[in-house]
Amino acid sequence: MKLVRYGHPGKEKPGLIDESGNIRDLSGVIDDFTAGQLSDTALARIAAMNHASLPLVSGNPRLGVPVAHVGKYIAIGINYIEHAKEANMRLPKEPIVFMKAVTCLCGATDNIILPKDSKKSDWEIELGVIIGRKAQYITEEEALDHVAGYCVANDLSEREFQIERGTQWDKGKGCDTFGPVGPWLVTRDEVPDPQNLDMYLDVNGVRMQTGNTRTMIFSVAKIVSYLSHFMTLLPGDIIATGTPPGVGMGREPQLFLKPGDNVRAGIAGLSEQNQDVIAWSRTQEVPAPP
């Protein structure tokens, strides 16, 4: 299934994408896609319904983050060999873990707002993993059973904040709108092999990143298991699993986002994001955290 939350920021309703690509409203069935609606049992109940009988959503509504009340947004750095090379970093022996503020989360077509005083805002297409079941000290063999589904994620990063203003990556990773997720959650039964997904990202129609999740240094199963030994993963937590090569920081000359740019990012089977880049202003409305 492809599960969505549609509507104005802070007022999203739950829905799903039917076989014809239309949005069907689920608000008469569940209140929202919160932690309790991400278990295998809850998802199986929705899957068993007659989707054609659900109310059809008209028009082309905004799609927000596909899960509500996200507790943690965890990210993995330097998880593709060629990206490590372009970043001039050694291959990690264990996953590099950092956090993105949940206030950075936004929908797949919301504007990317460059933070105040930004000089080096960059892009990173990533496979997003959404946890569906509490995970503590689990094995790699168990790990994927704890995943509700997958999504497109863009780990936007302000490189000057991240690298040149101390050693704390979080400062460059958690800016408002720097965590577009979606447009929808694709349940894990529709992604039999998360280690064989093509990925791409374009800026202004020019291909910047091309990759495949098979070139990850640490697999999704490894990441989920590894994280569960350092923190409890809860339903609704999101994990961004690293980016392939082609980021702006790694280009010669370096290239960074500016107001007026357009970013398209997609993953095979998980759909595509399409966002315009705008400058920060005091009057600019920022999407409410999901």
Side-chain angles (χ1 to χ4, degrees), residues 18-287:
D18 67 17
E19 293 182 357
S20 300
N22 300 309
I23 301 176
R24 297 283 178 168
D25 179 45
L26 278 169
S27 62
V29 180
I30 60 173
D31 291 334
D32 207 342
F33 283 119
T34 53
Q37 300 300 332
L38 297 176
S39 69
D40 287 352
T41 301
L43 294 176
R45 187 180 305 119
I46 295 172
M49 296 175 60
N50 178 6
H51 296 169
S53 69
L54 295 169
L56 186 64
V57 177
S58 61
N60 187 30
R62 167 190 175 269
L63 299 182
V65 177
V67 291
H69 310 311
V70 176
K72 295 190 288 297
Y73 190 4
I74 311 158
I76 305 299
I78 314 298
N79 196 31
Y80 287 74
I81 295 172
E82 294 303 318
H83 177 52
K85 291 179 180 178
E86 71 177 355
N88 294 315
M89 295 186 70
R90 294 178 181 177
L91 296 185
K93 295 180 180 180
E94 296 189 29
I96 296 172
V97 180
F98 60 94
M99 308 294 285
K100 288 178 73 78
V102 294
T103 49
C104 81
L105 288 164
C106 66
T109 59
D110 291 336
N111 290 330
I112 295 169
I113 303 173
L114 297 181
K116 184 180 179 181
D117 301 323
S118 170
K119 298 179 177 66
K120 298 181 179 180
S121 288
D122 204 348
W123 54 84
E124 294 189 15
I125 175 66
E126 307 204 4
L127 173 64
V129 177
I130 299 177
I131 297 299
R133 195 168 108 203
K134 182 178 177 180
Q136 292 176 302
Y137 299 105
I138 60 172
T139 66
E140 287 185 48
E141 292 72 25
E142 300 171 297
L144 297 187
D145 290 338
H146 290 72
V147 172
Y150 302 91
C151 60
V152 181
N154 187 351
D155 175 23
L156 288 148
S157 310
E158 213 300 339
R159 301 301 188 187
E160 186 194 38
F161 298 179
Q162 175 191 356
I163 298 170
E164 299 173 35
R165 298 180 65 175
T167 59
Q168 298 175 17
W169 283 17
D170 296 23
K171 289 188 293 187
K173 298 285 191 173
C175 306
D176 291 344
T177 73
F178 270 31
V181 171
W184 40 69
L185 179 161
V186 179
T187 52
R188 75 170 188 271
D189 58 295
E190 293 195 13
V191 187
D193 184 5
Q195 301 308 143
N196 188 26
L197 301 174
D198 289 328
M199 319 164 70
Y200 64 89
L201 183 142
D202 299 345
V203 177
N204 299 329
V206 178
R207 184 59 45 92
M208 296 294 174
Q209 289 185 276
T210 303
N212 187 289
T213 55
R214 64 173 170 266
T215 64
M216 282 183 179
I217 298 170
F218 305 107
S219 69
V220 172
K222 173 65 177 180
I223 290 167
V224 173
S225 170
Y226 181 86
L227 290 174
S228 78
H229 285 71
F230 296 93
M231 64 189 81
T232 298
L233 301 177
L234 297 174
D237 286 349
I238 301 174
I239 305 168
T241 56
T243 196
V247 299
M249 179 180 65
R251 304 183 73 85
E252 286 290 343
Q254 291 184 333
L255 180 66
F256 299 109
L257 295 172
K258 61 185 185 302
D261 285 345
N262 174 265
V263 180
R264 291 173 61 247
I267 299 177
L270 305 184
S271 194
E272 179 182 86
Q273 301 182 354
N274 191 334
Q275 297 182 281
D276 293 325
V277 180
I278 64 174
W280 178 88
S281 72
R282 292 189 183 277
T283 59
Q284 180 61 48
E285 182 178 356
V286 176

